[in-house]
Amino acid sequence: MRVVAEIPHAAVKITVFAWNGKFLIKLERGPYEQTYKISETDVLGDEGLKHILDETFINEAVELFGQMHQNLMAAQERAD
């Protein structure tokens, strides 16, 4: 696996990897991460990836991070 790009963004850390004919898009925020796999044939290189990673996608990912946090907090409360 190799790093293809690190795309700067204020809300999340975005790293793109290439592996086995796929791009892995890894988004990180605090202790949480999301990874999306896209076939290299479905996008036209780095520019194609940047078009996919538009503000709508990032905003929805940030909302999902919030849901992930809520899920973890609820699970910890049930465990107590």
Side-chain angles (χ1 to χ4, degrees):
M1 186 170 358
R2 67 181 174 85
V3 174
V4 173
E6 291 184 0
I7 301 171
H9 196 278
V12 294
K13 179 180 177 186
I14 305 170
T15 309
V16 180
F17 300 91
W19 182 66
N20 282 350
K22 292 183 177 24
F23 287 117
L24 281 71
I25 302 168
K26 181 177 177 183
L27 299 111
E28 298 175 78
R29 184 174 172 130
Y32 307 106
E33 64 182 47
Q34 299 173 38
T35 302
Y36 299 86
K37 296 178 185 178
I38 301 173
S39 175
E40 288 180 355
T41 60
D42 289 343
V43 294
L44 297 173
D46 293 348
E47 288 304 313
L49 285 170
K50 289 177 184 175
H51 286 291
I52 290 171
L53 298 171
D54 63 6
E55 282 304 308
T56 300
F57 179 87
I58 300 299
N59 290 338
E60 290 172 351
V62 169
E63 288 177 23
L64 184 54
F65 279 122
Q67 184 62 49
M68 292 168 72
H69 178 73
Q70 289 175 5
N71 292 348
L72 180 59
M73 294 300 104
Q76 288 177 331
E77 286 179 21
R78 289 190 305 274
D80 290 341

